[in-house]
Amino acid sequence: MIAVLAVLAVLVLGGAATLYLLRDDPAPVAGPTQPADPAAGPSAGATEPAVPATTAPAPASSADPRFVKVGQCVRNEGPAGGKPKLLISECGAKTYQVLRRYDGSTSGEKDAQAKCAKVDGYTNWYFFDSELDTLDFVLCLKQR
């Protein structure tokens, strides 16, 4: 009887640990915001790649914003006034088109604002800051 209970306890704890490790819920540090001066435009010497004219996102393995590409759109599923939760979606009303993506280390809001200030036409920015700098990214977005 004790052996059966021990095996059952190991299976339950193993299943709970597996579910905990497999959940996919990255927490962004900050979210979309309006630029300080939207009329400022890009820096004098900055050249940005053209944004593709596509309105449908390319097939992706996930709706997670870690996999979004320039030209695709995201929508904010987070609570109004709360922490944003972006998901890759079809482009349409109340979505944000990715104008530029910066991969690599980010130091936060000021860094995201500085990077996106060089992008012509952006209205919002979003950054993800993880413990591994190689997973960090900044998205410069245009509200549709």
Side-chain angles (χ1 to χ4, degrees):
M1 183 70 144
I2 293 174
V4 171
L5 289 175
V7 170
L8 185 60
V10 168
L11 289 174
V12 169
L13 291 175
T18 301
L19 287 175
Y20 176 77
L21 294 174
L22 291 178
R23 70 183 174 100
D24 188 14
D25 188 25
V29 176
T33 186
Q34 295 297 335
D37 183 11
S43 298
T47 59
E48 299 299 326
V51 176
T54 182
T55 58
S61 62
S62 173
D64 192 301
R66 292 178 292 175
F67 306 110
V68 72
K69 295 177 175 70
V70 171
Q72 288 184 300
C73 290
V74 294
R75 69 181 186 280
N76 184 5
E77 291 292 319
K83 183 167 48 172
K85 180 173 173 62
L86 297 186
L87 297 173
I88 298 173
S89 69
E90 295 284 328
C91 292
K94 297 185 181 181
T95 63
Y96 300 88
Q97 185 175 12
V98 178
L99 298 179
R100 180 75 192 257
R101 179 186 175 106
Y102 293 94
D103 290 310
S105 179
T106 183
S107 58
E109 292 182 30
K110 289 184 180 181
D111 180 49
Q113 280 182 314
K115 287 177 178 173
C116 289
K118 300 173 187 174
V119 177
D120 188 32
Y122 97 99
T123 59
N124 303 76
W125 53 263
Y126 173 90
F127 74 91
F128 180 81
D129 188 15
S130 78
E131 292 179 14
L132 294 172
D133 285 343
T134 57
L135 299 178
D136 293 357
F137 63 91
V138 173
L139 300 177
C140 302
L141 307 167
K142 177 181 179 182
Q143 188 170 13
R144 294 179 63 100

